[in-house]
Amino acid sequence: MLLVIGVLFTGISLGQTVAPKSFAPDGTVFAMKRKDNILYVGGGFNNVGVHTGGQAFFPNGSRLPDGRKAYIFGEVHTSVPDGNGGRYVGGLFDRVNSTTVSNLVHILPNESVDQNFLPQVDGIVDVIVMWNDTMMFGGDFLNVNGTNRSYLAAIDMSNGNLTNWDPQADDRVRALKVTADYVYAGGEFDRMGPYDQRAVAKIDRVTGESEYFIGPTGGTVHDMEIENDLLYTVGDFSGASGYYTG
């Protein structure tokens, strides 16, 4: 199908960087022509959208994303509010706006990057939880700020330093829930610290030591929820300590 679109042309600059937040079709473009401030494009496509990067926000009633939001060059796997109008974002990305980052970033209310919080995480950040002045996060990484932290780590937000909390999972962590005493982790791991603990682990929030906990016999936990002292898990598994769960 051949379509022709008109795009408002507000300016042009010559450089070596692809402009983010530009319009793009979902198929091949064969021709284009600019007249005045309109760029006409023709080709074999059906829809035209906006490059949003790894996140998109749609104002109420709008079919177009808010172009004022920060542009993340990569994948967003998790985002949590900072309590002041900004947010912490984790995933697989190496730049936000014009700032080089490493998979974990603090975006301020004005959509700029917090230059005082630039941790170096060498892999994917899948989940972030906050407890008072401590950020705990999990994913598919082995080092944070040059220090070994296998798949789980914590940062003291009062000074930005890595804490001594080091549960030592043996594989990817995809879910976290925190209580006053414990952190519950879910993911693809078979061990947490020195203990066999498949897919779900119960970890002391202060010491980082894991405790025995009844969990799946194998598989992957993708998400968890705590309600009325019960822990609910969802994922790709069929049993919990020998009991079939469906």
Side-chain angles (χ1 to χ4, degrees), residues 198-222:
R198 294 179 176 86
V200 175
K202 180 182 180 182
I203 306 162
D204 189 286
R205 186 182 60 80
V206 177
T207 67
E209 296 180 1
S210 61
E211 299 185 11
Y212 176 73
F213 187 76
I214 296 175
T217 56
T220 300
V221 167
H222 290 279

Side-chain angles (χ1 to χ4, degrees), residues 62-76:
S62 175
R63 298 177 62 185
L64 291 176
D66 188 344
R68 298 169 296 179
K69 297 297 183 180
Y71 193 93
I72 297 177
F73 290 80
E75 303 172 7
V76 170

Side-chain angles (χ1 to χ4, degrees), residues 134-135 147 149 153-157 159 161-166:
T134 301
M135 171 192 285
T147 300
R149 287 292 186 272
I155 292 176
D156 185 340
M157 301 304 291
N159 54 32
N161 294 331
L162 194 65
T163 73
N164 292 326
W165 194 75
D166 185 17

Side-chain angles (χ1 to χ4, degrees), residues 26-246:
D26 63 354
T28 303
V29 174
F30 295 111
M32 61 181 178
K33 180 70 175 180
R34 178 186 176 187
K35 183 176 181 181
D36 299 326
N37 286 328
I38 302 294
L39 179 67
Y40 297 90
V41 182
F45 51 84
N46 294 299
N47 298 281
V48 176
V50 180
H51 277 299
T52 63
Q55 64 176 3
F57 295 83
F58 291 85
N60 290 336
S62 175
R63 298 177 62 185
L64 291 176
D66 188 344
R68 298 169 296 179
K69 297 297 183 180
Y71 193 93
I72 297 177
F73 290 80
E75 303 172 7
V76 170
H77 290 214
T78 185
S79 179
V80 298
D82 65 3
N84 295 301
R87 59 196 181 278
Y88 297 102
V89 179
L92 181 62
F93 48 82
D94 58 8
R95 186 155 63 100
V96 177
N97 297 334
S98 60
T99 300
T100 299
V101 297
S102 296
N103 305 312
L104 180 60
V105 68
H106 182 204
I107 298 176
L108 299 172
N110 64 1
E111 297 302 312
S112 67
V113 173
D114 182 355
Q115 300 296 320
N116 295 317
F117 182 78
L118 296 172
Q120 301 295 306
V121 185
D122 69 352
I124 299 170
V125 174
D126 284 312
V127 59
I128 301 168
V129 293
M130 307 295 295
W131 183 265
N132 295 330
D133 289 333
T134 301
M135 171 192 285
M136 287 158 279
F137 55 98
D140 191 9
F141 56 83
L142 295 176
N143 297 280
V144 178
N145 294 343
T147 300
N148 179 254
R149 287 292 186 272
S150 54
Y151 309 102
L152 270 172
I155 292 176
D156 185 340
M157 301 304 291
S158 67
N159 54 32
N161 294 331
L162 194 65
T163 73
N164 292 326
W165 194 75
D166 185 17
Q168 298 181 351
D170 73 342
D171 208 337
R172 189 170 185 169
V173 173
R174 293 183 176 271
L176 290 173
K177 292 295 177 182
V178 61
T179 68
D181 298 314
Y182 296 102
V183 177
Y184 295 89
E188 302 174 14
F189 49 84
D190 291 316
R191 293 181 67 83
M192 187 67 66
Y195 304 112
D196 289 334
Q197 201 68 67
R198 294 179 176 86
V200 175
K202 180 182 180 182
I203 306 162
D204 189 286
R205 186 182 60 80
V206 177
T207 67
E209 296 180 1
S210 61
E211 299 185 11
Y212 176 73
F213 187 76
I214 296 175
T217 56
T220 300
V221 167
H222 290 279
D223 201 4
M224 302 187 298
E225 193 59 66
I226 297 175
E227 184 177 355
N228 297 327
D229 296 326
L230 293 176
L231 178 69
Y232 299 89
T233 62
V234 295
D236 182 18
F237 56 87
S238 60
S241 297
Y243 296 95
Y244 180 74
T245 60

Side-chain angles (χ1 to χ4, degrees), residues 4-27:
V4 178
I5 62 170
V7 180
L8 180 63
F9 211 86
T10 58
I12 188 169
S13 61
L14 299 178
Q16 299 300 310
T17 301
V18 177
K21 304 180 182 178
S22 56
F23 286 88
D26 63 354

